[in-house]
Amino acid sequence: MTSLDKPTQDTDQTRPDDARAVTEAALFEAFGGVRGMVETVLPGLLFVAIFTVNKNLHMAAIAALALSLILVVVRLAMKDTVKHAFSGVFGVVFGVVFAMFTGNAKDFYLPGMLYTLGLALAYIITTLAGVPLIGLILGPVFKENLSWRTRNPGRKKAYAKASWAWGLILLAKCAILFPLYWWADTTQLGWVLVILKIPPFLLAVWLTWVFLAKAPAPIDVFAEMEAEEKAAEERKAAAEAAGGRHRREG
């Protein structure tokens, strides 16, 4: 049995305050914090604002795309992580392509809606399969990788609860948006989508924080591997030293 498979006995030894602080920092890193949320909202907000005023699909689409690119450039200039800004760019690009191709401004929102539906199903399906998606996302952030699957059952249970929360919240969001896609006009759909951009996300992040803050502490598999490598080097050095003594004595 390898060290990654051995059950751990000290996963709940971390103080509650430390666990909460670690969880908050990891969630902030994984989901981009306040700035990441703002960057996901602004392009869609600009699109619907311009379209509400002049009903010009091309102008609204180009403005949203330009703003997304500006956000990436600002991130690059500040030497900050660009993964959240880039994800926003790709979302806007797909929306612009769909809308331009069909000539229907509502299709600007369709790729994002389909992505939300797919993500909701991914959270639910992976949880049913025993590998909750939120654990796959946060495992590397917590430096535990997949150790929670076999060595930390309490943490796996928390990841399952969090993934259920994400899946059901996103499904509820889809249950609101898809009927509006068929029945509402572009302006109504756009403003509802902007309104629903952050609150469901914040609810899911908060529930994730609640579940994980009460869960056993993550197992730092990187620290374990470093310790094993150091121990192996020490054993090797000790063996070489012992061999040298035997040769001198012989």
Side-chain angles (χ1 to χ4, degrees), residues 189-244:
L189 174 62
W191 285 113
V192 171
L193 197 146
V194 168
I195 292 170
L196 290 180
K197 196 77 173 181
I198 291 181
F201 175 82
L202 289 179
L203 176 60
V205 170
W206 178 75
L207 288 173
T208 302
W209 177 84
V210 169
F211 295 139
L212 292 183
K214 296 178 180 179
I219 302 168
D220 191 336
V221 295
F222 296 103
E224 288 183 341
M225 288 188 291
E226 290 175 358
E228 288 182 359
E229 291 175 358
K230 183 177 180 180
E233 291 174 357
E234 291 175 350
R235 289 193 297 269
K236 182 179 178 181
E240 291 175 350

